[in-house]
C-alpha cells in the first residue's frame, strides 16, 4: 500500500519554497481546522479547548490548542521543527553582466552542498517590500514557481580532473544565469537589475516600487514519490519541511485534552537559531507565558509549574544509512529509510535526547505500532545540531530529538522514505493525545 501522506507532503514542500511560504502554507492548514489567528501586538482572550496560532515576522509560527485543565496542572505537549533550508540567497540590487549574459549575485544561506545547485532549472521565491502609491510600504510574498535561472558547469574539456571534485566559488562559478541576449558589445550600463525587473513584473509594480527583498533560488522541479511502491521521496527541503508537515498534520488532527498541545515552526535553524524568531529567541517562551497568564491568572510561578510538567519532541532529519558510504556510519546506530523515525542522541548534547526522553518517544512509537530506530554519529565524527538543545535550554523542558532518516542532507534535492513520514505523523499524534504525563 502506498504511503498515505506522501502526496500532501509533496504539495506542502512545493508550496513552501521559503520559510515565509511554509508559514503561509501552515496557516492555511490551521485555518482549515478552525484555528484562530492571534497577533502579538493585541490583547488576547483564550478559551479552553480552542486552537490558536501566532506567526512572528511571517517565518516562524506557534500553534496551540488550549487544554481542558490549567497549564500549571497539566502542562504542555510540544512538537517542533524548522522552516528554513540551506540555499542560495540572491543579492537583488546587483547584477553581473558579460557579453549579453546576465547573472544574479548570490550568497550562501546555511550550509548547502554547492555542486547540487548546478545544471538544474532554478526558480526564485521570497519576501519583497514594495512601496505603494501612497508612499506606504507593504510586504508581499513572491513565488515564481517556474524555471528562471540555471548555474551551468564548466565543460569537462576545460578541466579533465573535474570528476575528482571541484570547488565552486559563491561569487563566481555559482552565479545563476538569468538571461542571454546574444549581444556581443558593451553592456547597457545603469538601470534596475534583472532581479528587480523580474520581481516587479511578477508583482505587477514598477521597478522603483521594489524597496528591498529576501529572495532565494530554489529547485524548480516538483517533489515526487517513486519506486515500486512509491516508497521513496525525492524533493528539495525535506530537511526540514518533512518535520514541519508531520508536526502540523498531527497537530491539526488532534483533539483537545487536559494538557495543552503546541506545534512550533522555527525559522533560522540552519544559521544557528540566534535571531528574533529562531529557536534561540524568546518567541516560544513569550507565547507560553501569555497562555499561562491568561488561563491560570497568576504570576510567574504558574508558568514555571506548567513548563516543569511539559515534554517536547524536536523533529529534524536524521542521517540515514547510505549504501554507497557505509564506512561513514556506526552500523548499530545507522537508521535505514522506511525503517521508522530515529531517536538522535549525542554525548555532548548536540541533540537534546536523554534516556528518559528516549524511553518516552519509544513508548509513543510502540503504542502507535510504529517502528523506531536510533541515530548516533560515528564516535570519531561530530554530528550537526538542531532546535532541540537550544529550545530545551530556553524553556527548561525535557526534549527528545527525533527525525526521519534521509540521504543527501543539504543537497538541492534530498531523498527520504515515504513510509517514514506516515510513521512520524502517527508517533506525533500519540504525543498530542497522551500528553506530557508520559515522562512522569
Ligand atoms: Co534540519
Amino acid at each position: 500500500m502506498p504511503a498515505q501522506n506522501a502526496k500532501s507532503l509533496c504539495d506542502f514542500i512545493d508550496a513552501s519554497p521559503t520559510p515565509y511560504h511554509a508559514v503561509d502554507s501552515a496557516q492555511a492548514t490551521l485555518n482549515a481546522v478552525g484555528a484562530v489567528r492571534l497577533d502579538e501586538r493585541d490583547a488576547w482572550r483564550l478559551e479552553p479547548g480552542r486552537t490558536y496560532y501566532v506567526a512572528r515576522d511571517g517565518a516562524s509560527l506557534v500553534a496551540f490548542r488550549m487544554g481542558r485543565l490549567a497549564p500549571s496542572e497539566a502542562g504542555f505537549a510540544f512538537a517542533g521543527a524548522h522552516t528554513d533550508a540551506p540555499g542560495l540567497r540572491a543579492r537583488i540590487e546587483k547584477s553581473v553582466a558579460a557579453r549579453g549574459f546576465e547573472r544574479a549575485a548570490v550568497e550562501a544561506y546555511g550550509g548547502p552542498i554547492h555542486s547540487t545547485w548546478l545544471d538544474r532549472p532554478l526558480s526564485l521565491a521570497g519576501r519583497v517590500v514594495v512601496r505603494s502609491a501612497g508612499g506606504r510600504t507593504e510586504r508581499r510574498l513572491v513565488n515564481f514557481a517556474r524555471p528562471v535561472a540555471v548555474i551551468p558547469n564548466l565543460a569537462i574539456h576545460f578541466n579533465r580532473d573535474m570528476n575528482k571534485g571541484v570547488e565552486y566559488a559563491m561569487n563566481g562559478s555559482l552565479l545563476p544565469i538569468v538571461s542571454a541576449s546574444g549581444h556581443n558589445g558593451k553592456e547597457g550600463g545603469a538601470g534596475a537589475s534583472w532581479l528587480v525587473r523580474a520581481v516587479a513584473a511578477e508583482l505587477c509594480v514598477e521597478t522603483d516600487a521594489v524597496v528591498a527583498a529576501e529572495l532565494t533560488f530554489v529547485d524548480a522541479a516538483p517533489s515526487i514519490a517513486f519506486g515500486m511502491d512509491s516508497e521513496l521521496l525525492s524533493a528539495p527541503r525535506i530537511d526540514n519541511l518533512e518535520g514541519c508537515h508531520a508536526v502540523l498534520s498531527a497537530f491539526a488532527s488532534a483533539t483537545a485534552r487536559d494538557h495543552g498541545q503546541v506545534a512550533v515552526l522555527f525559522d533560522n535553524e540552519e544559521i544557528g537559531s540566534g535571531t528574533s524568531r529562531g529557536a534561540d529567541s524568546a518567541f516560544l517562551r513569550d507565547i507560553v507565558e501569555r497562555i499561562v497568564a491568561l488561563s491560570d491568572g497568576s504570576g510567574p510561578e504558574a508558568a514555571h509549574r506548567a513548563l516543569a510538567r511539559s515534554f517536547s519532541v524536536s523533529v529534524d532529519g536524521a542521517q540515514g544509512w547510505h549504501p554507497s558510504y557505509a564506512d561513514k556510519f556506526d552500523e548499530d546506530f545507522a537508521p535505514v529509510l522506511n525503517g521508522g523515525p530515529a531517536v538522535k542522541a549525542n554525548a555532548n548534547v548536540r541533540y537534546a535526547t536523554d534516556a528518559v526522553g528516549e524511553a518516552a518517544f519509544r513508548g509513543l512509537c510502540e503504542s502507535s505500532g510504529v517502528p523506531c530506530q536510533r541515530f548516533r554519529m560515528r564516535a570519531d565524527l561530530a554530528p550537526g545540531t538542531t532546535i532541540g538543545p537550544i529550545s530545551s535550554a530556553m524553556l527548561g523542558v525535557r526534549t527528545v530529538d527525533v527525525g526521519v532518516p534521509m540521504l543527501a542532507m543539504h543537497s538541492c534535492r534530498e531523498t527520504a522514505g515515504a513510509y517514514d513520514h506516515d510513521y512520524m505523523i502517527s508517533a506525533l499524534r500519540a504525543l498530542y493525545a497522551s500528553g506530557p504525563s508520559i515522562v512522569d
Side-chain angles (χ1 to χ4, degrees):
M1 193 175 70
Q4 288 173 13
N5 298 283
K7 169 82 171 71
S8 68
L9 173 58
C10 289
D11 291 346
F12 179 77
I13 290 174
D14 293 344
S16 309
T18 75
Y20 302 109
H21 295 87
V23 163
D24 216 39
S25 308
Q27 290 179 176
T29 301
L30 292 163
N31 290 338
V33 295
V36 177
R37 184 194 171 100
L38 299 172
D39 189 310
E40 285 193 272
R41 295 168 295 192
D42 296 340
W44 299 350
R45 285 189 51 226
L46 306 175
E47 293 170 31
R50 291 207 71 177
T51 306
Y52 303 87
Y53 67 89
V54 51
R56 184 173 277 189
D57 204 20
S60 292
L61 178 141
V62 175
F64 57 94
R65 188 173 291 109
M66 300 293 289
R68 290 186 296 232
L69 297 181
S72 59
E73 298 302 326
F76 295 100
F78 294 97
H82 67 87
T83 56
D84 61 325
L88 303 183
R89 179 71 64 84
R91 295 185 159 183
I92 182 168
E93 305 83 1
K94 186 179 168 86
S95 66
V96 186
R99 302 194 69 193
F101 282 109
E102 185 160 348
R103 290 180 297 163
V106 289
E107 57 189 297
Y109 176 86
I113 302 176
H114 291 181
S115 61
T116 63
W117 259 259
L118 277 79
D119 300 321
R120 62 171 75 235
L122 298 174
S123 179
L124 187 66
R127 176 172 73 167
V128 186
V129 178
V130 296
R131 190 179 288 110
S132 58
R136 290 172 59 87
T137 56
E138 185 189 348
R139 295 167 217 178
R140 303 266 299 270
L141 296 191
V142 66
N143 180 9
F144 283 70
R146 62 180 183 276
V148 295
V150 69
I151 307 171
N153 243 306
L154 179 67
I156 197 164
H157 315 88
F158 295 112
N159 179 4
R160 298 288 182 181
D161 288 334
M162 206 140 194
N163 291 326
K164 295 178 181 165
V166 177
E167 197 175 316
Y168 295 100
M170 196 54 67
N171 60 346
S173 41
L174 280 175
L175 303 196
I177 290 178
V178 291
S179 77
S181 61
H183 295 236
N184 220 359
K186 287 191 74 165
E187 298 310 315
S193 69
W194 179 90
L195 280 168
V196 171
R197 285 182 276 126
V199 165
E202 197 69 12
L203 295 177
C204 301
V205 299
E206 299 295 326
T207 52
D208 56 9
V210 177
V211 182
E214 296 144 78
L215 297 171
T216 303
F217 285 101
V218 294
D219 187 8
S223 305
I224 53 162
F226 68 102
M228 288 290 273
D229 296 311
S230 298
E231 77 276 21
L232 288 160
L233 296 173
S234 169
R237 305 179 292 285
I238 291 179
D239 171 16
N240 184 262
L241 292 183
E242 185 283 327
C244 291
H245 187 259
V247 168
L248 265 176
S249 303
F251 178 83
S253 64
T255 52
R257 304 283 173 143
D258 288 349
H259 55 272
Q261 298 155 337
V262 186
V264 194
L265 309 182
F266 281 123
D267 191 14
N268 297 140
E269 188 273 344
E270 298 291 355
I271 55 166
S273 299
T275 65
S276 63
R277 60 189 189 228
D280 203 7
S281 73
F283 182 35
L284 181 54
R285 181 171 269 279
D286 290 350
I287 306 294
V288 166
E289 286 176 354
R290 289 180 76 161
I291 295 170
V292 177
L294 289 166
S295 46
D296 270 275
S298 38
E301 195 196 37
H304 297 152
R305 290 178 62 206
L307 288 170
R309 289 183 190 279
S310 296
F311 178 56
S312 179
V313 175
S314 157
V315 185
D316 197 356
Q319 280 82 359
W321 184 77
H322 194 312
S324 305
Y325 303 94
D327 61 318
K328 295 286 182 193
F329 294 84
D330 179 332
E331 62 187 18
D332 292 315
F333 299 95
V336 293
L337 268 56
N338 290 319
V343 175
K344 305 187 287 180
N346 169 254
N348 296 301
V349 198
R350 304 281 287 166
Y351 303 121
T353 307
D354 65 4
V356 177
E358 171 160 3
F361 186 77
R362 290 191 168 280
L364 292 173
C365 289
E366 223 162 90
S367 70
S368 42
V370 164
C372 186
Q373 307 186 81
R374 283 193 175 89
F375 174 75
R376 282 177 184 259
M377 202 72 170
R378 212 178 70 182
D380 59 339
L381 299 174
T385 187
T386 179
I387 58 171
I390 297 168
S391 190
S392 71
M394 290 296 290
L395 294 179
V397 168
R398 187 188 308 283
T399 300
V400 59
D401 268 303
V402 304
V404 301
M406 51 185 291
L407 307 180
M409 194 182 288
H410 291 198
S411 179
C412 189
R413 270 185 103 81
E414 299 160 329
T415 299
Y419 296 113
D420 289 330
H421 186 52
D422 287 352
Y423 291 143
M424 183 64 86
I425 293 172
S426 297
L428 294 174
R429 279 199 183 117
L431 166 76
Y432 284 129
S434 312
S437 61
I438 52 169
V439 290
D440 278 357

